[in-house]
Amino acid sequence: MTTAQGEAERVRGYLLSQGERYTFAELWVRFVKARLDLIDAAAGVSDEQAAFKPDPDEWSILEVLSHVVTVSGRVSRLVETLANGGTRSADDVEDQQDHEVETIDRLRTRLLADSIAWSAMTERLPEPPSFDATSNHFAFGELHARAWYLFQRVHDMDHIGQIGKNKQTPEYPSS
């Protein structure tokens, strides 16, 4: 087993076990903490800083936030469908950055709106949810609704790290 496979299995185990153990309301606390950290990471970033790419193969903060907001909306729809016992493919969750990249102010507004929508969605979710309905994540395999819910926290945290890495680059604009 490669290191990447081992890490994917570790994350999968975390998503499934925590999703089976905790209610959506309990998982919401974890989601919100990560989301607030993401909002904080985007706060005070100028247009120049947001567009900065440390390397041509790396994403700018604009691209990171655009990706997060796009995927987050898709994951929330998937969570709600699965929690109610429906079927939905996760194929549309992955984002290939094929959408228009927006301004940093617009993305911060969308991120906040998406965060509020997650809270509203959480109140609509049944407890307990269906654990039979699953959808396949390309790296983590079949996940039920609560595992997908917690996935968004992990996803946000990964991209908080990416934003931090951009900010730590010596060439990162000072304002």
Side-chain angles (χ1 to χ4, degrees), residues 7 26 45 55 66 72-74 86 88-89 91 126-127 129 139 160 173:
E7 178 67 9
E26 291 166 325
V45 173
D55 181 273
S66 182
S72 182
R74 293 172 181 177
R88 185 178 198 122
S89 171
D91 290 344
E127 285 294 357
I160 291 165

Side-chain angles (χ1 to χ4, degrees), residues 9 11-13 15-17 20 78 82 87-91 131-145 147-148:
E9 281 301 313
V11 172
R12 174 184 163 71
L15 296 174
L16 290 171
S17 67
E20 290 164 10
L78 178 62
L82 294 177
T87 59
R88 185 178 198 122
S89 171
D91 290 344
F131 287 101
D132 294 329
T134 64
S135 193
N136 188 56
H137 183 276
F138 75 94
F140 306 128
E142 291 294 323
L143 301 175
H144 52 67
W148 272 105

